[in-house]
Amino acid sequence: MTFLINLIVFLIVLSVIVLIHEAGHLLFAKRAGILCHEYSIGMGPLIYQKEGKETQYSVRAIPLGGYVSMAGEAVSDSMFKKDDTIGLIINGDNLVEEILLYEANHFDVKGVVKSFDMYGKDMKPLFVELETAEGIVRYEIKRNAKYRLSEKSWMWVTPAERSFESKSLWQRFLTIFAGPLMNFILAFVLFFIVGFFVLEPNYESNAIGEVSSDSLADLKGFKEGDLITSINGTSISTWYDLARVMGENDSPIIDITINRDGEVLAYDDVLVATFIQSAGLSNVNENTNEYYAQSAIVGSTSGRAASAGLSVGDEITKINGEDVSNWDDIINYFKTHDTTGDITVTYLRDGNPNTVTYELISEQTLADLGSENIVYQIGVGASGEFDLGYSLLYAPRQLASDVDEVFTTIGLLFGAGDSNIGIGDLSGPVGIFQLVSNVRENGFASLIIFMGFLSINIGILNLLPIPALDGGRIVFLAIEAIIRRPLNRKVENTANLVMFFALMGLIIYVSINDVMRLVNG
């Protein structure tokens, strides 16, 4: 049941983001007078379709994207070619109103195509010349005629004035840019709504504001309003003190004291969730709420560790040839050794020794991403209070922060600085599903914030100057503006098609990595 709920939430999140993105394209295309054949959420086989005045609105089976099919995007302006046999339906004004492209039993005229103009530049009449039993006859076509593909399937003809390429550079730019723009607007709206439910944290206090479910704090019975007064004997009076002490910690076992309404409660030898970010290792098994410390058992893996094959329950015996017997040893290794380059981990699985080697994420890369190498989590958050100014500024601050994070990640991916981030570290649909599932468990607000972050990701990635993406199409427009003439449509479509299949291959590759990480993690 949990999997089904997570799947439904994932589909809703992704579908809303895609729906808003494609709605931007559709809205500005219609404002420019571009004929839009179809507005689709999802790809592949058709599930549902509703006919609008001009556009068919579709839901398709594969929820990985969507599209707006606009007139003028195909290589040819016609859905038939010379020497094809077609049928025509002609109205009372002797104009063609339907072109039959299938073996229909009803038609007014049927013949072999000899010549045609289905584009009608500068408002020239649309026509087709057919060879029939009466010879070659020319038929004029209505500018809003239909192609009939089957009894139930049809498309509008696409005359020049309704085609994408006939519009001004500015209109075409707005039509393309509107998709990513809507992603940023969606993110801002989501952050704006959440902002009124987010309290301004009070880091000058040592009071607990929230307790994460199934966390150490939750398991120990910590409550909102409790005061953390000491950790490992060091006095705590502010949240800054807590962050400093935990940052200097060198063990997954801590002593913690809290004050609850004047009563002092001491908790000794408490196991803390520990994450070695560079190696993708943790001592906490989130499925069973077990925390490992006295032995070097892996609680969970992520990223490269999971891809390499390390899994929950493996017991680490050596790291780069150095013996380890518990999590103190693991933490000490990563505090005293350079966390760059490859790491070789020897471990026991079901009593059998195994070895894996994989590359660490460097501490510099982690710093660029705003993270530390070793992270400890108690499962508590700072106290806070509602402040209108803080709530109103939450959306622009969160938007700016997320945009900066995405650009930083893209820069690292393409080798900025000393980055060792690569294609193998990307997440595809499976990874996003897992992230949505994890975030959903943290509450509705966390899910909405992640949805906004995901929308920003999709908006920015679509603006990358790569054919098949919106950014690539904008580059083609820029080239057209520079050379002052349209690009060859066939060349542009070929570049888009080749890159589309390359991107599909990339999605398959990262999805395989996602599955491996999910199985092992």
Side-chain angles (χ1 to χ4, degrees):
M1 181 59 71
T2 300
F3 174 81
L4 181 60
I5 293 173
N6 288 337
L7 180 60
I8 292 172
V9 171
F10 166 72
L11 293 177
I12 291 173
V13 167
L14 201 59
S15 296
V16 169
I17 293 173
V18 171
L19 184 149
I20 294 297
H21 178 98
E22 298 302 335
H25 291 314
L26 182 70
L27 175 63
F28 278 81
K30 286 183 174 291
R31 284 173 60 90
I34 299 169
L35 176 62
C36 298
H37 297 297
E38 183 181 3
Y39 168 78
S40 176
I41 303 302
M43 313 285 279
L46 183 66
I47 296 178
Y48 170 81
Q49 192 169 75
K50 179 178 177 59
E51 290 187 9
K53 184 178 180 180
E54 281 191 340
T55 305
Q56 299 182 75
Y57 299 87
S58 308
V59 177
R60 296 186 176 271
I62 305 173
L64 302 179
Y67 60 85
V68 175
S69 176
M70 294 182 243
E73 292 184 310
V75 174
S76 174
D77 302 307
S78 171
M79 295 192 69
F80 58 82
K81 60 184 183 298
K82 187 178 179 181
D83 296 327
D84 282 352
T85 299
I86 63 174
L88 305 177
I89 302 294
I90 301 174
N91 65 16
D93 296 323
N94 207 32
L95 295 174
V96 175
E97 61 180 20
E98 289 193 19
I99 302 170
L100 310 178
L101 302 181
Y102 69 105
E103 288 294 330
N105 295 321
H106 63 285
F107 50 82
D108 296 321
V109 177
K110 187 175 183 179
V112 178
V113 177
K114 290 302 170 185
S115 67
F116 61 89
D117 181 359
M118 296 299 296
Y119 191 62
K121 188 175 182 179
D122 299 325
M123 297 304 293
K124 292 179 181 178
L126 307 182
F127 73 89
V128 62
E129 290 185 340
L130 297 186
E131 183 177 15
T132 67
E134 301 176 358
I136 297 178
V137 183
R138 177 186 173 112
Y139 299 93
E140 187 173 342
I141 301 171
K142 289 176 62 178
R143 303 189 84 81
N144 63 342
K146 293 179 179 178
Y147 293 110
R148 183 66 66 176
L149 310 177
S150 67
E151 284 287 346
K152 297 182 179 180
S153 179
W154 59 271
M155 281 183 62
W156 299 104
V157 300
T158 56
E161 70 276 8
R162 301 300 308 277
S163 295
F164 176 82
E165 79 277 1
S166 69
K167 303 306 175 182
S168 69
L169 280 169
W170 178 243
Q171 288 174 314
R172 284 179 282 163
F173 169 77
L174 287 178
T175 298
I176 295 171
F177 183 71
L181 176 63
M182 291 297 286
N183 285 129
F184 299 127
I185 292 174
L186 172 62
F188 185 88
V189 171
L190 293 174
F191 294 153
F192 185 79
I193 294 172
V194 171
F196 287 93
F197 297 92
V198 175
L199 303 179
E200 182 178 13
N202 181 10
Y203 295 125
E204 297 296 337
S205 168
N206 59 348
I208 296 175
E210 59 179 348
V211 179
S212 300
S213 61
D214 296 328
S215 66
L216 158 71
D218 187 32
L219 295 174
K220 291 296 182 181
F222 291 10
K223 300 181 182 299
E224 181 180 343
D226 288 348
L227 304 178
I228 300 177
T229 56
S230 72
I231 293 179
N232 291 336
T234 301
S235 177
I236 304 292
S237 58
T238 69
W239 217 255
Y240 300 111
D241 294 336
L242 186 148
R244 175 179 52 79
V245 171
M246 292 304 296
E248 295 171 352
N249 187 44
D250 57 7
S251 173
I253 302 175
I254 65 171
D255 299 333
I256 184 168
T257 303
I258 65 172
N259 184 308
R260 178 179 297 163
D261 299 327
E263 180 184 3
V264 176
L265 303 174
Y267 299 86
D268 297 332
D269 299 330
V270 175
L271 298 182
V272 182
T274 305
F275 301 86
I276 311 295
Q277 305 278 66
S278 61
L281 300 173
S282 171
N283 74 325
V284 57
N285 186 329
E286 296 177 355
N287 295 321
T288 61
N289 286 327
E290 290 183 87
Y291 291 75
Y292 304 110
Q294 304 299 343
S295 60
I297 294 177
V298 176
S300 65
T301 60
S302 61
R304 297 173 181 181
S307 297
L310 279 172
S311 184
V312 176
D314 291 341
E315 184 173 1
I316 299 174
T317 57
K318 293 179 184 292
I319 298 178
N320 281 345
E322 295 189 19
D323 292 333
V324 295
S325 59
N326 53 48
W327 267 87
D328 279 345
D329 293 340
I330 295 175
I331 292 170
N332 180 66
Y333 178 88
F334 286 98
K335 276 184 170 289
T336 58
H337 290 73
D338 181 26
T339 55
T340 57
D342 289 345
I343 183 175
T344 298
V345 178
T346 304
Y347 62 96
L348 297 176
R349 178 178 296 172
D350 299 326
N352 300 313
N354 298 274
T355 300
V356 295
T357 299
Y358 61 96
E359 186 180 11
L360 296 169
I361 297 178
S362 69
E363 286 196 56
Q364 182 57 53
T365 298
L366 290 171
D368 291 337
L369 292 171
S371 183
E372 297 178 351
N373 183 27
I374 302 176
V375 175
Y376 302 96
Q377 291 182 357
I378 301 175
V380 294
S383 61
E385 59 184 18
F386 178 77
D387 180 84
L388 181 60
Y390 181 84
S391 295
L392 292 174
L393 289 175
Y394 181 83
R397 285 173 175 168
Q398 189 68 34
L399 183 67
S401 174
D402 285 354
V403 168
D404 179 69
E405 183 175 342
V406 174
F407 275 116
T408 298
T409 303
I410 292 174
L412 293 171
L413 183 63
F414 286 97
D418 297 324
S419 167
N420 61 342
I421 297 291
I423 297 297
D425 298 302
L426 294 176
S427 283
V430 177
I432 295 173
F433 165 72
Q434 187 63 27
L435 288 171
V436 170
S437 301
N438 293 338
V439 171
R440 186 190 70 81
E441 297 174 359
N442 294 329
F444 185 71
S446 296
L447 179 62
I448 295 302
I449 292 171
F450 179 76
M451 183 175 175
F453 177 67
L454 188 59
S455 186
I456 290 171
N457 269 267
I458 291 175
I460 292 177
L461 291 177
N462 263 283
L463 287 174
L464 292 178
I466 298 173
L469 300 179
D470 295 328
R473 300 182 70 186
I474 290 174
V475 169
F476 288 135
L477 289 182
I479 294 173
E480 180 182 335
I482 293 171
I483 66 177
R484 298 182 179 277
R485 60 180 174 81
L487 293 174
N488 184 292
R489 196 192 299 180
K490 186 174 182 179
V491 171
E492 183 176 340
N493 283 6
T494 299
N496 287 332
L497 187 63
V498 169
M499 186 52 65
F500 172 79
F501 283 112
L503 290 174
M504 289 300 101
L506 177 61
I507 289 175
I508 292 172
Y509 171 76
V510 298
S511 295
I512 292 172
N513 280 344
D514 285 339
V515 171
M516 291 177 62
R517 287 193 286 259
L518 184 60
V519 170
N520 294 322

